[in-house]
Amino acid sequence: MAPAVARRLSASTAWSGRVHSVFDRTVNALGSDGRLLTLQGPGLLSAPFAIALEGPPPGEIEPGASVERIGGRLDVGGIAVDWRRAQPIDLSIGTGSDLAGLAAALHRVPPSLGAPALCSARALEARRAVRDGIARDDAERFAVGALALIGLGEGLTPAGDDCLVGILAVLRSARPHFLTRHPGLAGTIAGAAQVGTTIVAREFLRHALDGDFSEALVALVRASSCVAARDAAERLTRMGATSGADTLTGTRLALDALRPR
Amino acid sequence: MIVTLVRPSFYQDSVVLLALARELRSLPGVTEAAALMATPANRDLLAQSGLGTDEVLSAGPNDLVVAIRAERDDAERARTRAEELLAARRQPRSQGAVHSPRTIEVARRRAPDANVALISVPGSWAAAEARRALELGLHVMLFSDNVAIEDEVRLKRLASSRGLLMMGPDCGTAYLSGVPLGFANVVPRGRVGMVAASGTGLQQVAALLTARGEGLSHAIGVGGRDMGDAVAGLMTLAALDALATDRGTEVVAVIGKPPAPRVRAMIEDRLRALDKPSVMALLGHGVSTGQRDGVTTVSTLEDASLAVIAALGGERWAPRPFSIDPADVRRRVEAARRGDGSQAVAMRGLYSGGTLAHEALSILEPLLGPVASNLVAGAPSRHRVVDLGADEYTAGHAHPMIDPSARLSAIRGAGENPDVGVLLLDVVLGRGAAADPAGDLAPALERARAAALARGSELAIVASVIGTAGDPQGMAAQVSRLEGAGAWLLPSNAQAARAAACLAGGQAVLNRLLATVPA
C-alpha cells in the first residue's frame, strides 16, 4: 500500500467516505476529508494513494456505497478490506540526482503515442512555457505552462495533468528547490487543480507536489541503468489508454529542459 | 448540427473514453466527436472547436461530456450509439492476467502446496524475508548476499528448530528432487546427493558427473560461510541428515573450502555415521587427500566427481593430473611455447566463478609459487587470479556469468600487457547464465591474441567449459566457438589450471606434473 494512505488511515480512527468511481481493476473512494483512496487489483501501485488487493476488487461494489474505517479494516460497501498487514511501498522520489543517465536512456526509447490534446496548439504552447520556465529557472513562465496543462485533454486524468505529474517527478529528483525557491508556485498549482480538473487528477497532482508518485513512475526516475529505464518506461506507457505515455511526455520534457545548453 | 451528452459525476477510464470517441468518429456522417471530462481547459478546447454548447459550457470538471458534430439524422443515431456505449459502463474483468504476488504470505496462499521459497532481494531486506518464509513453514533458498553473519546464524537456528533447510545466504545453485534452482546446469536425476558451500563448485561436479552418465538425487546449497566457526555447519549437518534418510541417494558428496577444524570434525563424524559412501571435496592448500573410514577426501572438484564415480562402482579413487593423453599435453605446451621451455611467462586467471578461481589458485600456487589474487591477501606476483564476481567488480553490474563486460575489459588489458603469456578462463553454462558466453568472449580473445602476435609474442588461452550437453547454450557449440578463437579447452577447471601452470612455468612444471601420471 502507499505510505500516504497508511498515514491517513492511521491518523484517524473515523475515516469515512463514499465510493467515487468503479472500474475494471480499480475502486476509488472519496473520503469526507476530500481526499481519494484507491483500491486496486494486484500489481504495481497505480497511484500514490492506492492499496493493492490480493485479487481484483469485488464486482459488487457500486459508486456511492459507503466506505468506513472500522478498527483495522475498511468497510467498502459491505466488503471488508484488512489493511493492517499491508506492505508499505515507498513511492517517494528522492532528491539530488541529475538524471543525466535517465535522459540518455530515454533517448533510446521511441516516443509513445500520447493523447491528441497534448499536441493541440494550446498544449504545445503550454509545454514550451514549462520548458522555458525550467531551463531559465523562471517560475512565472513555468506556472503559465503548468496551469494551462491542468485539466487539458482526454481521460479521467486529463492528459495535461498526467504530463504535469511527469514534469514534477523530474523536478523533484533533479531540481528539488525549483518549487520551494519560488514561494507560492506549488500552492498556485494545487489551487488551480482544485477547480480545474477532475478529482482523480487533482489527487495525483497534490501527491506529486508532495513528492509521491505512482510506482511505475518512481521506478523510471530511480532507474539505475539503461535497461532498467527502458523497462520502466515500457511499464509506464502501459498505464491507461494514454496516461502513462502522457506522463512520459512530461518526463522527457523536463529532462530536456534540464539539459545543459 | 451538434449534439451533446453530459453525464454528471460520471467516471470512465481513459481507455473507454478514447474508444468511445474513436467509434463515434467512425460513424457515418459524423465529422467530429469528443468524449472528455468537462474541465475548464477542455471546455475551452470544445468551444474553440465549435462544440461548446451551453450544456457543455455549464458542465463541471467531474462531468463527462460527449459532443458530436454530424448531419441531423446521423447526429441522432450517433447520440443513441453514445448512450448505448456509456450504458455498458463496466467492462468485463480481463481474464488471464497473472500478477506476481508482492509478499511471501500472498505467494503462500496462492500456492498452498509449495514448501520452498527462493528469495532474491537486496541484502538489507533478505533476512526479514527469509524469516517470514521460515515462519510460514517453508524451506528457504536465499540467493541474496550481503546478509550479516549474525542474521545467518539466527535464521539457521530458526530453521533447525523447525526442521527446515535454510540454504544460503549467497546460495547460487541447488537441485531439490530434480528441480533446479538458481544458476543450474541441465543434469539428470540420479544417485548422488550433494551438500555444497559453493554454487559453481556444485555446478562443476554436477556437470562432470553428468558427462559420465550419473545424476543427482538432491544437491543442497548451504552458503559459503556455513562451514565456518560462526555458523558451525548448522545447515551442512542438517542437509547430511536429510540425505542420510533419502533412499534415492547412494553416495554423498560435501563440497567447500576447508571448514573450521571443529566443524570439519563434526562433518566427518556425520559422514562416517552414514550408511553410504561419502566424499569430501575441500578446496585449499595442504588438504590431505585419501580414504579413511569410508570417507574419501579430495582437493579438487574434478576429483570429487571421480571419487563419487569410484564409490558408486565400489572402486578406490586415485588422483591424476590430466585425463587426456600426457603426450598430447606435452605437445600442446611445447607448441604454445614455441619449444622454449625455459622462460617463464606471466599468467592471468580471469574467472566468473568464485570457487573455480579459488580452486585454480590452490592448484597454481604449489606449481608456480605465489599467485596474486583478489581472493586472498598475499605476496605480489607476476601471476594473478581474479574472481570477477567479487563485490569490487559487480557494484553496478550484473554478475560476470551474465554480464561479460568486466571480463572483456580484463582480457583487453591482458592482451595489451607484454608480460602476460597465458590466459586462464572458466566459461559457465546452464540456466541463468549468459545466452552465449563463448560468443561474448571469443572476439575479445581473438583481438588479444592478435595484439600479442603484433608485438612478436604469444598469448596462450586455456579454458574449461562448465556445462552439460543439455544446457540451453549448447555445450558443443560453446566449445567450438572458444577453440575457434584459439583457446585450448580442458575437460575440467582443475586440468585447465594445471595446463596454464605448464604454459606459464615451463618445462619444469610440465615434467613435474607428467611425472605423477600413472603408467
Side-chain angles (χ1 to χ4, degrees), chain A residues 225-252:
Chain A
S225 70
C226 281
V227 173
R230 188 192 61 207
D231 291 349
E234 283 175 3
R235 277 199 299 275
L236 184 61
T237 53
R238 287 199 292 268
M239 288 178 63
T242 63
S243 279
D246 299 333
T247 306
L248 192 57
T249 298
T251 307
R252 289 180 194 272

Side-chain angles (χ1 to χ4, degrees), chain B residues 271-338:
Chain B
L271 288 174
R272 278 193 286 272
L274 288 175
D275 191 20
K276 327 179 174 195
S278 61
V279 174
M280 261 185 105
L282 303 180
L283 313 174
H285 291 301
V287 172
S288 178
T289 62
Q291 191 174 36
R292 192 177 154 206
D293 299 335
V295 180
T296 303
T297 303
V298 301
S299 62
T300 71
L301 298 164
E302 181 176 38
D303 283 345
S305 71
L306 295 171
V308 165
I309 298 283
L312 286 167
E315 299 166 358
R316 282 187 82 85
W317 157 81
R320 56 180 178 176
F322 292 106
S323 60
I324 57 177
D325 183 351
D328 187 37
V329 175
R330 185 176 294 281
R331 195 165 47 247
R332 294 288 301 248
V333 169
E334 288 175 352
R337 295 180 57 84
R338 290 183 171 168

